[in-house]
Amino acid sequence: MTVAVWREPAVSGWGRLPMHALDHPERFELDGVWRFQLLHDPEEAVGESWGEIAVPGCWTMQDVGDHPWYTNYRMPWPEPPPFLPADNPTGVYEREVEVPAGWAGRRIVLHVGAAESVLLVELDGEAVGASKDSHLAAEFDLTGRVRPGERSVLRLTVVKWSDGSYLEDQDHWWQAGITRPVFLYATDPLHLTDVRVSADMTGELAVDAFVAHGAGTLPAGWSVTATVGDQPLELDAAWWADRVEQERVSSYAGHTRLVATVPDVRLWTAETPYTYEVKVFLHRPDGAVADQTSLRIGFRRVEIVGRDLLVNGVRVFFRGVNRHDFHPVTGRVLSAADLRADLVTMKRFGFNAVRTSHYPNDPRLLALADELGLYVIDEANIECHAYGHELADDPLYTGQFVERVSRMVRRDVNHPSVIIWSLGNESDYGANHDAAAGWVRRYDPTRPVQYEGAIRDDWERPQTASDILCPMYPSLDSIVEHARSGRQTLPLIMCEYSHAMGNSNGTLAEHWAAIESTPGLQGGFIWEFWDHGLLQRTDPAAGDPGWSDGVAAPGWRWAYGGDFGDEPNDGNFCADGLVFPDRTPKPAMYEHRELAAPIRLTYSDGVLTVRNRQHFRDLSWLSASYSVTGSSPVAVALPDIRPGGSAALALPDISEMSPGEAWLTLRVVTAHDEPWAPAGTEVCAPQVRLRAETRPLPDRAALRRPGSPVPLDDHGLLVHPLLSRAPELSLWRAPIDNDRDHASSWEVLAGLARRLVDVRRDGARAVVRAEYGDVATHVQEITAYDGALLFAETVTVRHDDLPRVGMVFETVAGLDHLDWFGLGPWECYPDRRFGARVDRHAAPVDELFTPYVRPQESGGRFGVRRFTLAGAAGDLTVHLDDDRRQVSVTRYRAADLAAARHHDELVPRAGCVVHVDAVHRGLGTASCGPDTLPPYLIGPGTYTWSWTLTA
Ligand code: GAL
């Protein structure tokens, strides 16, 4: 009788070996092209006709008749558990296997890296086992079933929808297939079943080795030895040292503990990821090595003291990001190079922590995190978002909860980078969580456990499933208030904050100012690293897939929910990362890099101070040069400052420099090669203002001689040879993803009808009055000078909460280059500008726009004092009256952007669309989190500002 395990929640697998933390190097790889059939459901008979498919690979990304499907928290069907759709794509993978004859007599194990969502294994037509959990490996003992030197047929059947799918209802694409490598490995019948290491900051090391024999009964006289570090050190068998034999837990299970103290130990932290190699040898009674393994470990301690989480005794900040296993072409099949590139990007932008949202990531990621230095919150593959309340307490699911958590912990326990275990995400809170937490606490008392669902409703109530107060998207006020309340008992580290959907991540600077100055707050994890846009061909004739700078090649696009005909779907809510689908960093990454910088500069009372903001490192890994606005860089020696300390830096003499604003920028680079950055990589570039602007703004130097009367058309609009559209009032922006709650109330601002009230002239001066229904009135005073126009604007708006108050005009074609003095070089907005620098910047107009996956307001620069647009058509310069204005120069009108779902629908205009805003609303993070803060809101009232246009 065949049991339909895919609809048996009480069965998490069968025939599967226990999870362990070992790598067995003697492998027979099975990756490559396999025979493949896609059935409609798991009960359909396998046919005669086979196609081919790549392993590992999502079949949903390989054009075999099933496609990716994006939903956030709803299941793709409305029926509740235990319902499964009749159409349940099932992939049958088959291939011949012939293991080397030399493997005769060895124990042979099949390893399937990951299969989504249920794996059934057969060998030569005989059922071997089954496994659930799409993001953990499954192993099956094939000894005696595969015959070395002979062919066998291995069939792996993968069922897409199962009772397990209800536990895998995370906010990302539903895919299907075998997504991680498949191989066989061989060991001696007498073998290590597992090795667990505990390495404390004192240098004390304990290695627990677990041993079994393929024949069941352990022979007498086996032994285990181990070495640590570059100069191998024999470990002492201490735990049971009084026994002659190693410990036999029973006739079939062996366990020994080996201990040592490493002198002058170098500790592991994210800043100093120092690792040691541990080698473990299992000896047969005659001393010959039967099995061995090698692992890299780190000495460190994680502990909670009071309401602080300490790493090696230090209260560190967690500058974290949430990461999915994602790739725009393969779905979620990753190479070692992909994984490294992700973590290198994180390190280069100041991140020191990653949460493996919301399942155990590719196991190679943890070795990289150990090596490069990132703290990891390792999260189990449990999100029953749509039915959390039901499943968190459902006894049928208890086994799956505990297995999903415990198997992750058993896999990853030896990684120093893992500092917290997470029980999963958004699954309400129930007895099944407490069961899993209990297992972890017993197995690994050295690390805290966290689970957001346990603390969600009450930050103070004691519960058993979370040692960390790990809220998602709390308001800044609420966390500061809690930290100051005297009632905080747990370290507060936000598991998700600052939702990076589209043009977002406003108020990061305010968050970090509060975190760094409020005892009890320790940081958080930005949601999220990736924009999950899948590369999709839209033109059958398009060439090879390609992309650059976040933009898909012509004939391709970044697909999001709905683009594959996936219904229902949650649209572009999956495009909410800090990097584009091709890993190009978005401007918010530069903001984060500066906020996380190891060095901060301050200037006050004529003293320039450098602070070392790291927890463990001095500054010797960095070198620096400074430049003052308009001058060339000068190398400077960084003072020797201990972590947390500060020192004065000699100031350059600016008295001889030309008048006007003077900013000192310290460009800090890696002095030597780091594992994540070659020498010379920019780490940060903090800036301080040495001298304020001394001249009145806008620059009136050009305004001396009055000019001839201002040329206006019949509507009172300026006529200018370089403008194809005259400057007009603009109160609307193409909604960013964070604006979605406002989009409908802002529609009235999008289609403002202008009514000219009157035009009054007085020599070279014209005063134009216009009305915009009952929304706004606008008085524009234009004065002509020789070669320049001065605009004095007065706008009275009667609308709550506006996106912008400013002017928009369009230029003729042939002005393709922008040169500006103000914040840059990257895009910045009033509440996201910490990472930008005041300087003279220049860029082609086409490069100023940021191609957020769904087109929206983009490309702005805050604090622009003046800019020049130049090209074959001439040049045009604008001066602004304040250092807090916002400018954008792009090829798109706001309406063009708002009407498009994808970039390939946009047609760039030949001229430039120029917005010069007196005020621009902050970005906030309201697509899933708090809105911007009050200082960045724009309310009703009267706005006055001025600017000049010179051509
Ligand atoms: C959180 C959730 C994430 C993601 C995010 C919004 O609630 O844990 O998986 O959905 O919101 O993008």
Side-chain angles (χ1 to χ4, degrees):
M1 187 189 69
T2 315
V3 177
V5 288
W6 56 91
R7 48 170 187 261
E8 283 295 336
V11 177
S12 55
W14 68 271
R16 190 171 69 181
L17 292 170
M19 182 60 90
H20 56 79
L22 295 179
D23 262 349
H24 287 282
E26 200 178 338
R27 287 186 183 179
F28 184 81
E29 307 290 343
L30 296 176
D31 288 348
V33 176
W34 287 49
R35 288 194 290 280
F36 183 75
Q37 291 189 27
L38 190 65
L39 310 180
H40 292 104
D41 68 80
E43 267 142 330
E44 186 184 333
V46 176
E48 293 300 313
S49 137
W50 295 89
E52 290 189 331
I53 203 151
V55 172
C58 297
W59 75 61
T60 32
M61 298 300 290
Q62 296 186 59
D63 276 341
V64 295
D66 187 21
H67 55 70
W69 191 337
Y70 171 58
T71 62
N72 173 3
Y73 54 81
R74 56 181 148 174
M75 294 297 289
W77 52 84
E79 296 83 353
F83 174 86
L84 290 180
D87 184 8
N88 188 358
T90 298
V92 184
Y93 296 74
E94 212 177 74
R95 62 165 282 166
E96 274 69 43
V97 174
E98 186 178 332
V99 300
W103 279 16
R106 307 208 23 100
R107 173 178 164 264
I108 299 173
V109 176
L110 168 69
H111 175 103
V112 181
E116 186 162 341
S117 72
V118 173
L119 169 72
L120 313 174
V121 182
E122 288 164 88
L123 193 81
D124 293 329
E126 247 181 68
V128 171
S131 180
K132 294 178 187 173
D133 191 334
S134 300
H135 302 284
L136 281 176
E139 293 191 344
F140 304 88
D141 192 339
L142 299 187
T143 318
R145 293 181 191 255
V146 276
R147 292 165 303 280
E150 289 177 36
R151 289 186 153 212
S152 302
V153 176
L154 177 62
R155 177 181 286 184
L156 304 180
T157 302
V158 180
V159 185
K160 181 169 178 177
W161 304 120
S162 67
D163 52 78
S165 305
Y166 286 101
L167 294 186
E168 300 184 355
D169 181 19
Q170 291 101 350
D171 175 10
H172 66 156
W173 293 98
W174 296 97
Q175 302 275 13
I178 296 175
T179 56
R180 292 186 192 146
V182 181
F183 54 87
L184 298 167
Y185 67 80
T187 71
D188 193 272
L190 178 61
H191 61 277
L192 293 164
T193 56
D194 207 356
V195 167
R196 273 177 64 193
V197 170
S198 116
D200 188 62
M201 62 184 276
T202 54
E204 284 164 37
L205 172 67
V207 176
D208 285 283
F210 300 85
V211 177
H213 193 277
T217 311
L218 273 172
W222 54 273
S223 61
V224 175
T225 58
T227 59
V228 61
D230 301 336
Q231 293 177 332
L233 173 68
E234 288 280 322
L235 299 170
D236 297 314
W239 199 3
W240 292 294
D242 55 333
R243 303 197 184 177
V244 178
E245 243 184 74
Q246 302 278 317
E247 174 73 353
R248 234 176 228 274
V249 174
S250 72
S251 61
Y252 69 94
H255 172 199
T256 187
R257 170 171 289 186
L258 305 156
V259 297
T261 301
V262 173
D264 303 321
V265 69
R266 295 180 66 177
L267 300 185
W268 189 96
T269 70
E271 290 173 18
T272 57
Y274 198 84
T275 58
Y276 289 78
E277 185 178 24
V278 165
K279 289 184 184 161
V280 183
F281 303 92
L282 170 63
H283 304 273
R284 278 194 272 268
D286 64 2
V289 173
D291 198 2
Q292 60 179 300
T293 194
S294 152
L295 53 159
R296 292 212 77 88
I297 60 140
F299 289 83
R300 57 117 186 84
R301 183 185 297 173
V302 180
E303 63 192 323
I304 294 175
V305 175
R307 55 178 183 167
D308 295 327
L309 181 69
L310 308 183
V311 174
N312 299 340
V314 177
R315 174 181 176 259
V316 299
F317 290 123
F318 295 97
R319 304 179 187 277
V321 63
N322 281 279
R323 176 187 177 282
H324 274 282
D325 276 343
F326 173 77
H327 190 280
V329 175
T330 65
R332 42 181 154 265
V333 178
L334 304 171
S335 67
D338 288 323
L339 292 161
R340 179 174 282 273
D342 284 5
L343 297 197
V344 161
T345 304
M346 290 176 193
K347 289 287 286 186
R348 289 197 188 172
F349 286 87
F351 291 94
N352 70 354
V354 57
R355 171 174 175 239
T356 68
S357 54
H358 298 301
Y359 43 82
N361 285 186
D362 190 306
R364 293 168 295 178
L365 190 91
L366 296 174
L368 285 164
D370 294 345
E371 177 204 331
L372 299 172
L374 282 148
Y375 302 116
V376 174
I377 296 182
D378 204 1
E379 186 152 286
N381 184 18
I382 301 174
E383 176 164 341
C384 44
H385 202 143
Y387 299 99
H389 187 63
E390 295 86 337
L391 302 193
D393 277 313
D394 186 340
L396 284 177
Y397 275 93
T398 306
Q400 287 209 51
F401 269 68
V402 175
E403 287 235 15
R404 283 165 186 258
V405 174
S406 64
R407 294 179 77 239
M408 169 187 76
V409 173
R410 292 177 62 91
R411 185 190 78 163
D412 298 336
V413 70
N414 293 330
H415 289 283
S417 54
V418 176
I419 53 147
I420 296 173
W421 302 115
S422 164
L423 305 179
N425 188 57
E426 296 190 310
S427 302
D428 207 302
Y429 175 36
N432 292 339
H433 290 105
D434 284 346
W439 186 93
V440 181
R441 294 188 194 290
R442 169 76 187 182
Y443 186 80
D444 179 20
T446 71
R447 293 176 176 93
V449 171
Q450 78 171 45
Y451 176 54
E452 184 268 341
I455 57 87
R456 175 170 284 209
D457 298 332
D458 188 339
W459 291 3
E460 294 166 24
R461 182 185 61 207
Q463 39 67 36
T464 50
S466 197
D467 302 320
I468 310 286
L469 187 59
C470 48
M472 48 172 72
Y473 313 105
S475 72
L476 187 50
D477 282 354
S478 68
I479 57 172
V480 171
E481 193 276 319
H482 183 66
R484 291 186 182 150
S485 68
R487 297 189 302 275
Q488 182 186 357
T489 55
L490 305 175
L492 200 162
I493 303 165
M494 296 172 283
C495 71
E496 295 176 30
Y497 81 108
S498 198
H499 195 246
M501 184 176 183
N503 191 356
S504 187
N505 305 101
T507 72
L508 261 188
E510 286 78 1
H511 276 75
W512 276 97
I515 291 165
E516 291 174 7
S517 61
T518 310
L521 303 185
Q522 279 192 264
F525 293 73
I526 291 182
W527 186 267
E528 64 172 312
F529 185 65
W530 283 110
D531 261 355
H532 298 231
L534 293 171
L535 191 68
Q536 183 184 41
R537 189 193 288 268
T538 50
D539 174 0
D544 285 342
W547 54 69
S548 64
D549 296 332
V551 186
W556 297 84
R557 69 179 176 189
W558 303 129
Y560 52 77
D563 288 339
F564 295 95
D566 41 327
E567 288 294 336
N569 66 75
D570 287 295
N572 69 322
F573 204 63
C574 57
D576 54 358
L578 288 165
V579 298
F580 286 100
D582 67 352
R583 212 185 281 105
T584 304
K586 291 184 182 174
M589 287 286 267
Y590 293 90
E591 176 88 345
H592 186 270
R593 189 184 75 168
E594 214 52 51
L595 285 166
I599 283 181
R600 193 65 59 85
L601 274 189
T602 48
Y603 175 64
S604 91
D605 295 335
V607 180
L608 186 64
T609 306
V610 184
R611 193 151 69 83
N612 176 1
R613 292 159 25 94
Q614 301 170 102
H615 299 296
F616 301 101
R617 252 183 145 179
D618 63 21
L619 300 184
S620 58
W621 64 287
L622 299 168
S623 64
S625 58
Y626 73 72
S627 55
V628 178
T629 310
S631 74
S632 319
V634 179
V636 59
L638 287 170
D640 182 13
I641 312 174
R642 63 179 170 75
S646 49
L649 199 67
L651 257 184
D653 178 10
I654 59 164
S655 55
E656 298 293 302
M657 292 184 182
S658 50
E661 286 184 74
W663 290 78
L664 181 141
T665 309
L666 192 69
R667 183 166 179 269
V668 181
V669 301
T670 47
H672 320 282
D673 290 346
E674 292 284 323
W676 48 274
T681 304
E682 188 170 289
V683 172
C684 58
Q687 204 182 38
V688 288
R689 190 166 73 174
L690 299 183
R691 186 175 61 203
E693 180 56 76
T694 46
R695 299 159 298 190
L697 290 172
D699 182 5
R700 292 172 197 250
L703 307 183
R704 270 184 225 121
R705 285 189 305 276
S708 36
V710 180
L712 298 176
D713 67 12
D714 295 347
H715 308 283
L717 295 170
L718 179 74
V719 176
H720 190 288
L722 288 182
L723 303 189
S724 59
R725 277 194 157 200
E728 280 194 64
L729 180 65
S730 166
L731 301 177
W732 185 66
R733 69 183 177 197
I736 58 171
D737 291 310
N738 293 332
D739 290 340
R740 56 191 191 171
D741 287 347
H742 301 286
S744 57
S745 69
W746 286 354
E747 268 167 28
V748 58
L749 307 175
L752 283 183
R754 177 176 180 275
R755 188 180 75 82
L756 178 64
V757 177
D758 59 23
V759 176
R760 293 187 188 171
R761 288 186 178 275
D762 170 13
R765 199 161 63 106
V767 179
V768 182
R769 283 170 206 279
E771 269 181 10
Y772 295 82
D774 55 5
V775 175
T777 52
H778 178 204
V779 179
Q780 185 173 51
E781 182 183 304
I782 315 176
T783 313
Y785 292 87
D786 191 12
L789 295 163
L790 170 66
F791 296 79
E793 316 279 3
T794 306
V795 174
T796 302
V797 245
R798 295 168 289 273
H799 193 278
D800 289 336
D801 199 355
L802 297 138
R804 65 167 20 124
V805 177
M807 305 302 294
V808 61
F809 61 83
E810 290 178 24
T811 72
V812 298
L815 296 175
D816 299 328
H817 194 86
L818 189 77
D819 187 303
W820 76 100
F821 183 73
L823 283 168
W826 28 81
E827 179 193 274
C828 47
Y829 284 81
D831 63 348
R832 199 192 69 215
R833 61 187 152 97
F834 192 87
R837 308 192 274 265
V838 179
D839 211 335
R840 188 170 165 186
H841 305 283
V845 169
D846 291 336
E847 289 176 13
L848 293 165
F849 182 75
T850 311
Y852 294 110
V853 167
R854 185 188 66 78
Q856 53 196 280
E857 158 66 30
S858 131
R861 302 293 188 280
F862 180 79
V864 174
R865 286 80 154 145
R866 60 178 181 272
F867 65 88
T868 298
L869 261 171
D875 58 74
L876 174 159
T877 296
V878 168
H879 281 83
L880 292 140
D881 62 340
D882 193 282
D883 59 9
R884 302 180 61 79
R885 306 295 182 209
Q886 177 88 11
V887 167
S888 75
V889 181
T890 70
R891 300 289 189 193
Y892 308 108
R893 292 182 188 160
D896 300 340
L897 297 170
R901 283 186 80 245
H902 285 282
H903 279 273
D904 55 1
E905 297 157 28
L906 287 172
V907 182
R909 293 176 185 274
C912 300
V913 179
V914 182
H915 279 274
V916 179
D917 295 334
V919 277
H920 194 103
R921 191 185 196 278
L923 302 169
T925 66
S927 52
C928 181
D931 199 350
T932 191
L933 292 166
Y936 306 113
L937 294 174
I938 306 176
T942 297
Y943 294 85
T944 56
W945 75 102
S946 61
W947 54 291
T948 66
L949 189 146
T950 317

